[in-house]
Amino acid sequence: MLAVYSLLPFDNQDGGVWKQGFDITYEPNEWDTEPLQVFVVPHSHNDPGWIKTFDKYYYDQTQHILNSMVLKMQEDPRRRFIWSEISFFSKWWDNISAQKRAAVRRLVGNGQLEMVTGGWVMPDEANSHYFAMIDQLIEGHQWLEKNIGVTPRSGWAVDPFGYSSTMPYLLKRSNLTAMLIQRVHYAIKKHFAATQNLEFMWRQTWDPDTSTDIFCHMMPFYSYDVPHTCGPDPKICCQFDFKRLPGGRINCPWKVPPRAITDANVAERAQLLLDQYRKKSKLYRSKVLLVPLGDDFRYDKPQEWDAQFLNYQRIFDFLNSRPDLHVQAQFGTLSDYFDALYKKVGIVPGMRPPGFPVLTGDFFSYADREDHYWTGYYTSRPFYKSLDRVLEAHLRGAEILYSLALAHARRASADGRYPLSDYALLSNARRNLGLFQHHDAITGTAKEAVAVDYGVRLLHSLTNLKRVIGNAAHYLVLGDKDTYRHDPAAPFLGMDETRSSQDSLPERTVVKLDTSPRFLVVFNPLEQERLSVVPVLVDSLHVHVLSEEGQPLPSQLSATWSSATDVVPDVYQVSVLARLPALGLRVLQLHKSLDGPATPRSSTRLYLHGRNLPVHKPEAVPLHIFPAAPDDFCLENQHLQACFLGRTGLLQSLRQAGEEQGHRVNSEFLIYGTRTSKDKSGAYLFLPDGEAKPYAPKDPPVVRVMEGPLFSEVASYYQHVQTVVRLYNVPGVEGLSLDVSCLVDIRDHINKELALRFSTDIESDDTFFTDLNGFQIQPRRYQQKLPLQANFYPMPAMAYIQDMQSRLTLLTAQALGVSSLHSGQLEVILDRRLMQDDNRGLGQGLKDNKRTCNRFRLLLERRSTANKSSGFFSKLVSMFKALSFPGTRTGSPEVQDERPISFPSLLSHITSVHLNAEALVMPVALEKPALPVLRSFVPLATTLPCDFHILNLRMLQAEDDSLPSAEAALILHRKGFDCSLEAKNLGFNCTTSQGKLALGGLFQGLELGSLQPTSLTLMYPLGTASNSTNIHLDPMEIATFRIRLG
């Protein structure tokens, strides 16, 4: 796709009736030898929340659509219908009779009704993380298998705003053979149409052969509605949308209404429609044509079913009765179309048809007309984009810990006392997280009340998952499991933090200290052991932290601040350096004692920058107040030195240990406005009024510098953003990058977007790299021929720039929009407040901004001069060099077949999971005398290779879907990484194993009863279950296993 971008002029010429295309001509006898085969595919696009909430849509529209579907499909066996959103379908299923269910199974069985994609939702592909994309796909597929006994074969994604190449990989791994997409940049559609490349094999950039290929159909025109699906002329196609017959509620904007089909007019009407079909078919390579027939929430009344199906059947009957027209037209499902296409070109489903092109890359960023780029939604409503990832991390942690606790309880025959009912909470959380992946949810493009509804669901599940984790941890840390009693009214473990409402930031729990020690249980959701600084809030200065054996642990005591100049009275943060077992639980003790050596206290300097502000001093924690601004200053640990500009408190350079010279890494805040003309930015679109201007707050910042033995940090308080840059002074991963957080509040802005830009001396030219769904990296080029907003891309997990010597990576804990507008720059949009609708159907601006915390890590790495790596990755590195460092910013088209490709380093992968899955600190509710013996829980018997990621360990449902079965899904991902970045002497131990892993002895104290490799969503067994428990994964491969642990 990068080559396509460098090729196209993006000149938006007027194409006549097909405005964004061209005139299509054909010879009337072109189909004489091979007739045109037309499949009209009725569909109804049901958004699980957008203008109305999920439930309101269901009660007002969706249930009526599905009820009429059962009725109307049975009237004529030639009728067809497709459905994609299982979230709606399952809700309807729960409310219908056994008789109706049997009718649905019959319709699916005889091919009249097809379930396409079969995910819980039709997910957004820009902001969604691959854990959640896979999870909602499994949730939908498992539901279909259990309730209808069907496995989806074709993907259908008509509405996501641009497409990620992660999706074809996931669909392929789920055994789907073909897929369809629609919202692609109009210039790309035109180019693909002109070259007959609208159907192609979509391949992963990192695939060394053809194993990831999946057949993809791209729709050619502006929209998936009826006016834009029968052919190039919407004025004509609209006349064949029989819901718009005169007298109805909607009409044709082109001012020519549809006419009901009669014997008298059928010849003329059918000829008019056939002309459109033939023109559309000229854009494709085969003589088989796909014509979708539907729109949002269509077919909700029996009258509409009659209007569409009866009128179209009359047209089909006429066309099929005239051999001289050389056309065969019928209703079909999506797979009917793909099957007919495969049959016509003579290949088995899923194989590459002879002569069809192969494509790599993705379809961001999307524009539907003019310079209207849909790049605003990469940031819109960042509060919820962040909450999404918090819930995701909790869901993964809860799934794994619940699975382990249940396996241990079953092994000890104690599952009678274990709260199996927690499974229903897990199931509900999967569905709420799945719902939020919908392309109007995580995108931030729904009405305000709908966003609140999503928020309430996310928070409800977050609270429930904390309970599931607490219950599992309680069982697993008990020294004597026989004493385990589950009491929902009095949980053994408290929560680490609470949120008072769906739109508030979390409040951390304060542990009250007394004469007897308090215990903490710390959960590490990573599959690697980690050495982490664990923060705990306490109500006393006189605190000592000990390990479970009673050994003192390194710690640091600091005040907690409620604002730039106010400390919270009687609340202190004690930060403990603790080694946490992989996927395990560590028990710590807190003692209140007045004697013995005091816990080291951090010292703080507060710079008021000439502002006359009262300061509430903390007691007993050293604080020095300076009325002016500081001089420039630095923080350092054994790996890194970070220097800051005194007057702004913002980062200006980074230097690695052993380097003479540091790198300029200058950070600044910027403001984008929006246009003064009629088209302005909104929830979807980014339409800036030119380049960003420096953020100019009315007061200079208050800067607070805190230094201590375990970490030091710089906090800068501006009017709309507080930023904290922290440097950990500990060995291992934590100390190798900067921790950056921005607390943003732009509720008094009008039509402004706040950006954070890093400017460096890295010679990156016009190339930068962004991730897709946290799964893979896509190289990007700044295109000078495109407007500024077109050069923004989604950043769900990371973005980086590099030259021959260095790479600078910005890792993120929430999806945001990112770009590199000049060599050496990286910038991210933190929040956007927009006062108007941008004419894409929402009917609202973005005015419900919240105080939002955006969290990042900034990682500077050296590239090793000699590339000593061998095998797969060095091959990829050499393929990639062609693109990697073009010498000019003119975007020279020297990239031909060399597929651009790039990977994060291992350190970058591990830093990303540290950032996204923080350790959870749960205080034991009981105090000492009644306390049972607690022991740390170490689940893994061996260390996992560090390029292996346990994506999930998910208990499968029993016949009663509120209870777990004996089986679980183990989903593993072997990460692709770039080994040309130096990782030696970095103090984190890390071994890889060429993709080999022995699962048999992995879980300590548990046996692997069975191991069956399956397709991604467990619908198909792959090969036979062998006795061997040794597995092998290729780089980038995601593999699912059905296992029994006990």
Side-chain angles (χ1 to χ4, degrees):
M1 281 307 298
L2 270 165
V4 172
Y5 263 84
S6 47
L7 200 69
L8 298 187
F10 294 97
D11 52 0
N12 192 22
Q13 292 180 358
D14 191 327
V17 291
W18 173 19
K19 277 209 84 57
Q20 297 167 325
F22 45 84
D23 280 331
I24 306 172
T25 56
Y26 62 85
E27 301 298 328
N29 59 355
E30 281 188 46
W31 291 273
D32 287 6
T33 51
E34 201 185 346
L36 182 65
Q37 214 178 341
V38 181
F39 289 92
V40 172
V41 179
H43 68 99
S44 179
H45 180 67
N46 283 241
D47 289 305
W50 180 36
I51 304 300
K52 302 177 185 177
T53 63
F54 174 78
D55 285 338
K56 188 104 173 68
Y57 271 139
Y58 174 78
Y59 291 116
D60 291 359
Q61 281 147 296
T62 306
Q63 61 169 341
H64 305 302
I65 296 169
L66 291 167
N67 285 332
S68 346
M69 184 264 302
V70 179
L71 210 60
K72 289 293 175 184
M73 296 287 279
Q74 294 182 87
E75 290 180 7
D76 185 338
R78 295 173 295 182
R79 294 181 177 180
R80 299 285 183 274
F81 196 62
I82 61 171
W83 188 266
S84 98
E85 299 79 14
I86 305 304
S87 47
F88 275 130
F89 203 87
S90 66
K91 184 177 175 73
W92 173 66
W93 190 260
D94 291 344
N95 289 303
I96 60 175
S97 66
Q99 191 186 354
K100 218 179 228 183
R101 289 178 179 182
V104 172
R105 289 192 187 104
R106 277 197 306 277
L107 289 170
V108 170
N110 70 15
Q112 283 187 264
L113 170 64
E114 183 184 16
M115 308 310 271
V116 287
T117 310
W120 202 244
V121 297
M122 183 186 292
D124 170 44
E125 300 187 17
N127 303 291
S128 52
H129 191 260
Y130 76 126
F131 173 94
M133 292 171 81
I134 292 170
D135 206 63
Q136 65 85 32
L137 203 56
I138 292 177
E139 196 59 31
H141 285 186
Q142 291 290 296
W143 189 92
L144 283 172
E145 187 175 48
K146 183 171 184 287
N147 292 285
I148 305 184
V150 62
T151 56
R153 297 174 48 210
S154 303
W156 172 264
V158 287
D159 204 27
F161 324 139
Y163 298 91
S164 161
S165 46
T166 303
M167 203 62 179
Y169 180 70
L170 301 182
L171 296 180
K172 173 77 173 192
R173 297 295 293 181
S174 307
N175 259 16
L176 276 74
T177 50
M179 60 184 296
L180 170 146
I181 60 177
Q182 147 63 24
R183 287 192 184 268
V184 171
H185 194 299
Y186 61 87
I188 292 173
K189 285 187 176 231
K190 176 179 175 174
H191 174 66
F192 280 27
T195 50
Q196 284 192 329
N197 283 338
L198 289 163
E199 289 180 325
F200 51 87
M201 299 308 285
W202 197 347
R203 180 178 300 172
Q204 298 305 309
T205 47
W206 37 265
D207 180 2
D209 50 40
T210 62
S211 64
T212 60
D213 288 13
I214 185 171
F215 186 82
C216 182
H217 171 102
M218 183 191 294
M219 291 169 58
F221 306 123
Y222 171 76
S223 163
Y224 55 81
D225 62 7
V226 184
H228 296 95
T229 45
C230 90
D233 190 344
K235 181 178 180 176
I236 292 172
C237 292
C238 194
Q239 300 170 43
F240 295 89
D241 182 357
F242 296 102
K243 185 187 168 87
R244 304 182 195 236
L245 283 165
R249 290 220 312 239
I250 56 167
N251 54 19
C252 284
W254 296 269
K255 307 284 193 293
V256 186
R259 303 210 293 270
I261 304 299
T262 62
D263 288 347
N265 70 11
V266 67
E268 176 264 328
R269 303 308 303 171
Q271 281 281 8
L272 186 63
L273 183 58
L274 177 60
D275 176 61
Q276 289 297 305
Y277 287 170
R278 285 173 168 173
K279 284 176 172 160
K280 182 176 180 179
S281 112
K282 289 289 289 178
L283 305 178
Y284 293 90
R285 290 173 187 241
S286 86
K287 296 279 175 20
V288 187
L289 181 67
L290 172 68
V291 180
L293 181 71
D295 202 341
D296 292 3
F297 293 98
R298 280 302 188 88
Y299 301 98
D300 61 343
K301 295 195 174 56
Q303 298 87 307
E304 185 185 354
W305 284 86
D306 291 341
Q308 302 286 30
F309 281 90
L310 295 172
N311 282 300
Y312 266 98
Q313 196 59 59
R314 286 173 197 138
I315 294 174
F316 298 160
D317 290 345
F318 175 81
L319 291 173
N320 298 343
S321 70
R322 293 273 307 274
D324 57 311
L325 294 177
H326 303 286
V327 59
Q328 184 204 340
Q330 65 243 299
F331 293 116
T333 62
L334 184 59
S335 291
D336 286 341
Y337 166 75
F338 285 127
D339 287 343
L341 174 69
Y342 291 132
K343 196 172 162 189
K344 186 81 105 183
V345 297
I347 54 157
V348 270
M351 297 308 287
R352 176 177 170 190
F356 276 58
V358 177
L359 174 131
T360 61
D362 68 339
F363 295 101
F364 291 119
S365 289
Y366 169 58
D368 56 349
R369 54 179 190 251
E370 291 145 28
D371 58 354
H372 293 192
Y373 283 84
W374 297 45
T375 51
Y377 83 94
Y378 302 157
T379 293
S380 297
R381 295 199 170 110
F383 180 89
Y384 295 107
K385 286 174 162 67
S386 170
L387 183 55
D388 161 78
R389 292 280 275 276
V390 172
L391 180 61
E392 177 183 299
H394 277 75
L395 177 58
R396 179 180 166 277
E399 295 271 20
I400 293 171
L401 213 55
Y402 176 84
S403 301
L404 293 172
L406 190 54
H408 281 280
R410 282 173 170 164
R411 195 172 169 90
S413 305
D415 45 328
R417 288 181 313 196
Y418 194 80
L420 296 178
S421 56
D422 278 1
Y423 190 75
L425 302 180
L426 277 176
S427 185
N428 183 255
R430 293 166 179 172
R431 291 175 173 195
N432 282 334
L433 180 68
L435 186 70
F436 195 67
Q437 305 314 304
H438 162 55
H439 57 262
D440 293 302
I442 192 171
T443 52
T445 57
K447 290 255 191 214
E448 286 177 18
V450 179
V452 169
D453 181 64
Y454 289 132
V456 167
R457 290 168 185 268
L458 295 175
L459 178 59
H460 173 74
S461 285
L462 182 60
T463 310
N464 282 342
L465 290 174
K466 286 186 183 290
R467 197 172 305 156
V468 174
I469 291 170
N471 290 340
H474 174 197
Y475 180 81
L476 291 167
V477 295
L478 281 180
D480 177 2
K481 306 279 190 250
D482 293 342
T483 61
Y484 178 77
R485 294 290 175 274
H486 169 60
D487 180 356
F492 181 74
L493 293 172
M495 304 231 180
D496 57 325
E497 57 181 37
T498 51
R499 292 177 184 243
S500 56
S501 68
Q502 57 88 25
D503 60 355
S504 56
L505 290 168
E507 310 264 334
R508 286 164 53 207
T509 304
V510 179
V511 179
K512 302 210 173 336
L513 299 181
D514 206 358
T515 46
S516 52
R518 291 293 307 267
F519 284 78
L520 302 173
V521 175
V522 185
F523 172 41
N524 169 23
L526 304 187
E527 59 279 284
Q528 302 292 336
E529 179 184 81
R530 76 204 274 184
L531 184 64
S532 279
V533 175
V534 177
V536 187
L537 294 185
V538 293
D539 66 348
S540 164
L541 273 170
H542 307 289
V543 59
H544 290 261
V545 188
L546 309 179
S547 68
E548 88 194 76
E549 301 81 14
Q551 295 298 319
L553 293 171
S555 52
Q556 169 177 334
L557 194 73
S558 36
T560 49
W561 296 80
S562 56
S563 74
T565 53
D566 294 314
V567 294
V568 184
D570 306 320
V571 176
Y572 303 93
Q573 175 168 302
V574 60
S575 306
V576 195
L577 183 62
R579 198 168 281 288
L580 307 176
L583 298 175
L585 300 160
R586 175 91 192 260
V587 178
L588 305 176
Q589 324 181 27
L590 296 178
H591 288 255
K592 182 174 183 174
S593 77
L594 301 172
D595 37 276
T599 297
R601 303 182 180 181
S602 47
S603 70
T604 304
R605 307 192 299 277
L606 188 63
Y607 298 92
L608 299 178
H609 219 120
R611 292 165 66 180
N612 185 15
L613 297 166
V615 178
H616 297 281
K617 272 192 144 175
E619 47 180 315
V621 178
L623 172 68
H624 307 283
I625 300 169
F626 300 89
D631 296 328
D632 295 357
F633 60 95
C634 301
L635 301 178
E636 62 186 297
N637 66 14
Q638 72 228 51
H639 302 292
L640 268 182
Q641 183 191 55
C643 297
F644 298 80
L645 205 57
R647 58 186 171 76
T648 63
L650 300 179
L651 184 67
Q652 64 171 0
S653 70
L654 270 181
R655 184 168 65 82
Q656 289 174 296
E659 281 193 326
E660 294 285 295
Q661 195 126 27
H663 275 281
R664 181 168 71 89
V665 182
N666 186 26
S667 65
E668 58 183 321
F669 292 104
L670 303 161
I671 298 279
Y672 281 99
T674 188
R675 301 184 173 177
T676 47
S677 65
K678 63 174 188 346
D679 296 309
K680 293 182 168 61
S681 299
Y684 302 90
L685 306 182
F686 180 33
L687 292 169
D689 58 355
E691 294 196 5
K693 306 192 173 43
Y695 166 62
K698 61 176 200 294
D699 295 307
V702 170
V703 176
R704 190 175 69 237
V705 183
M706 186 183 88
E707 296 187 86
L710 294 182
F711 69 89
S712 301
E713 67 181 26
V714 181
S716 313
Y717 286 78
Y718 289 89
Q719 188 185 347
H720 303 97
V721 58
Q722 302 161 25
T723 172
V724 179
V725 179
R726 178 180 289 193
L727 183 61
Y728 286 102
N729 190 25
V730 300
V733 178
E734 301 288 11
L736 292 166
S737 57
L738 280 182
D739 193 299
V740 179
S741 64
C742 298
L743 183 61
V744 175
D745 184 351
I746 57 167
R747 286 174 296 182
D748 62 352
H749 274 326
I750 288 180
N751 275 331
K752 301 245 183 323
E753 314 200 15
L754 181 68
L756 168 61
R757 178 184 291 168
F758 296 95
S759 304
T760 74
D761 50 19
I762 292 174
E763 295 172 8
S764 58
D765 283 330
D766 59 359
T767 304
F768 60 109
F769 302 82
T770 66
D771 76 292
L772 290 168
N773 317 101
F775 172 61
Q776 58 183 329
I777 298 294
Q778 178 62 49
R780 306 289 184 193
R781 270 212 172 142
Y782 172 81
Q783 298 281 353
Q784 259 176 333
K785 61 187 166 188
L786 293 179
L788 182 146
Q789 66 270 18
N791 285 292
F792 275 79
Y793 291 94
M795 176 182 64
M798 67 175 78
Y800 52 86
I801 51 173
Q802 63 186 17
D803 57 21
M804 288 315 222
Q805 279 71 48
S806 322
R807 175 185 289 184
L808 182 76
T809 308
L810 180 67
L811 300 118
T812 177
Q814 59 287 306
L816 296 166
V818 73
S819 188
S820 170
L821 300 176
H822 291 282
S823 183
Q825 282 186 5
L826 209 47
E827 72 176 81
V828 52
I829 308 279
L830 298 174
D831 198 2
R832 41 204 321 259
R833 182 170 173 85
L834 302 160
M835 312 316 284
Q836 62 284 314
D837 180 51
D838 50 7
N839 300 309
R840 292 306 182 277
L842 179 61
Q844 277 184 354
L846 283 177
K847 306 182 199 172
D848 56 351
N849 304 70
K850 327 276 178 223
R851 285 178 73 235
T852 299
C853 187
N854 290 314
R855 294 173 42 244
F856 308 100
R857 285 276 175 96
L858 197 61
L859 173 64
L860 179 64
E861 295 175 286
R862 259 199 304 265
R863 294 168 68 84
S864 61
T865 39
N867 184 18
K868 293 175 290 290
S869 61
S870 61
F872 181 76
F873 285 108
S874 62
K875 192 162 91 199
L876 292 180
V877 165
S878 61
M879 279 164 63
F880 154 61
K881 280 193 171 138
L883 170 92
S884 157
F885 316 112
T888 58
R889 288 192 66 81
T890 56
S892 50
E894 76 260 23
V895 201
Q896 295 316 323
D897 181 51
E898 301 279 298
R899 269 183 277 166
I901 184 155
S902 186
F903 296 96
S905 65
L906 268 177
L907 174 59
S908 178
H909 279 305
I910 293 169
T911 304
S912 180
V913 289
H914 274 237
L915 173 64
N916 280 280
E918 297 181 286
L920 245 65
V921 185
M922 298 167 280
V924 175
L926 298 168
E927 298 187 17
K928 185 68 189 188
L931 197 69
V933 176
L934 303 182
R935 297 219 166 87
S936 291
F937 168 65
V938 181
L940 301 186
T942 53
T943 304
L944 221 58
C946 60
D947 54 347
F948 271 78
H949 174 50
I950 297 180
L951 202 53
N952 210 344
L953 176 61
R954 183 187 208 260
M955 291 304 303
L956 299 173
Q957 60 184 23
E959 261 320 291
D960 170 354
D961 57 17
S962 65
L963 291 173
S965 71
E967 294 187 315
L970 173 64
I971 309 175
L972 299 174
H973 173 208
R974 183 178 169 203
K975 300 193 161 177
F977 62 92
D978 182 337
C979 21
S980 71
L981 290 132
E982 285 182 9
K984 61 173 189 291
N985 313 330
L986 289 181
F988 74 98
N989 278 341
C990 183
T991 54
T992 56
S993 58
Q994 275 78 50
K996 295 191 210 33
L997 179 61
L999 285 174
L1002 185 61
F1003 295 100
Q1004 194 149 289
L1006 294 173
E1007 277 169 32
L1008 196 57
S1010 66
L1011 173 74
Q1012 168 67 62
T1014 68
S1015 59
L1016 180 63
T1017 58
L1018 300 111
M1019 306 279 269
Y1020 300 87
L1022 305 176
T1024 50
S1026 71
N1027 293 333
S1028 164
T1029 54
N1030 296 333
I1031 60 159
H1032 176 269
L1033 264 63
D1034 288 323
M1036 293 304 290
E1037 184 178 354
I1038 300 175
T1040 301
F1041 302 89
R1042 190 186 284 270
I1043 66 169
R1044 266 170 205 266
L1045 274 181

